[in-house]
Amino acid sequence: MHGAEYLPFAERGAYSPDTLSAFYAHLRQQDHAGFVDERTGYHVVHRYQDVGQLLKGHSVVGDTPDSAIDNSTTLDPYVSKARIASNPACWQGLANLVRYTTPATANAAGETHRIVKRAVYDGESLTSLNRSFTERNYGRHVERVAQLSIQNLKQQFESQEVVDLSEAFVRPYVTNVIAKVVGFEGHDDEIKEWSDAQSALLGRDLSRKELSAAISGLGGLARACHDLALSRRLRPQKDLTSLMVGPKHHLEPVLAGSTIMNLIAAGYATTYGTLLNSMRYLSTSQGRHHWDRLDEAGYNKVLVPELTRMETGLVGWRRKAAHAIELSDGSFIEAGRNILLLIGAANRDAVFESPDTFDVTRARAPQQLSFGRGPHLCMGRELANLEMGVALRALRRAFPTLRVLPTAEIQYDPDMLFRTPQELPVIR
């Protein structure tokens, strides 16, 4: 078992369920609220109280917004900017990023962030992500995509006994959903490539070749989102991009494109990982009881929040200390230090009764932090919850005996932020 002086997530096997649970249990036993990771230099914060407050942009010891907490580095690459800039193969991608992006959602602040949220949450629009109307706006679309993905999975099973659920169902499902929302229908392969590029840059130590491919992909995403915004300004459609650039909100194409870029990456990578992790749990003996109960009306409504707490695809998120920050144990994060907020550990903190127990009956439990907290709470969280619930019900109805191949050894991508199975072989 590793000590708490460094993060093991780049190591093989670190994300396997038992190893991950043991690491989180180890952190719960520590007196400290955080530690400096010896490999990355990040100050890792793992207690629920600290993670929640810093996500809100508040001091841990106070309850007001604090200029000491800086989110401008949230979407910075994991590797150094110097390594990227010194690689000529990255230059065209970098040029696209400089030209076509601006802080929009995850790392924007002040009035820019408020403008974007007003557009995305427009309560009068039939294409917004307003949390009160997400199911009304996108419920039928999500159901339709789920059924198409089920048909694809059935076709796969007709020709083979073992099927990779990630490629046969989960990936096409989540890409089709977000493509329709933003207006990129028919570009599923590109969304996968673009989103994989962004998530890889955020949390992985890429080789020179991998780095140039990821920067190129991300630059391609930036340009495509900008072009989409320009196109929708001239020829609006029934999608979120048209809402943002239309006459009511009139976001500039660079701002709208950057927002769409963030939403695509978040709507794909985190939902993809969380749904895969959840299906791994439900289709093994550990979660079979809950899988069988999906036949009960409304059971998915209580199941999805606990799955999101326990099986989140996003285990960490970044902030930076503009000034010294005091944590709940009295220790300090020094000014200028990059911070890794360990969401996965906070979701298993002792503030949850029996935190490693999967329990859908938790009464008055704290809010899990998989979608963040405060001003930067994930804008697509209701869509993600809807996707999860619809997918689980559809899979249960179509394949009631679906289960992970008993001999499979599930491997995970080595990543500091995202917990994603490389594949999930299943049988019916």
Side-chain angles (χ1 to χ4, degrees), residues 321-337:
H323 306 290
I325 299 171
E326 184 177 1
L327 299 178
S328 61
D329 64 351
S331 65
F332 284 84
I333 302 175
E334 64 186 22
R337 177 76 68 175

Side-chain angles (χ1 to χ4, degrees), residues 71 103-114 376:
N71 63 1
T105 51
N107 59 351
E111 186 59 22
T112 298
H113 193 235
R114 286 189 286 273
H376 287 273

Side-chain angles (χ1 to χ4, degrees), residues 98-118:
V98 170
R99 181 175 181 182
Y100 298 117
T101 64
T102 186
T105 51
N107 59 351
E111 186 59 22
T112 298
H113 193 235
R114 286 189 286 273
I115 289 171
V116 170
K117 288 180 71 172
R118 280 199 296 269

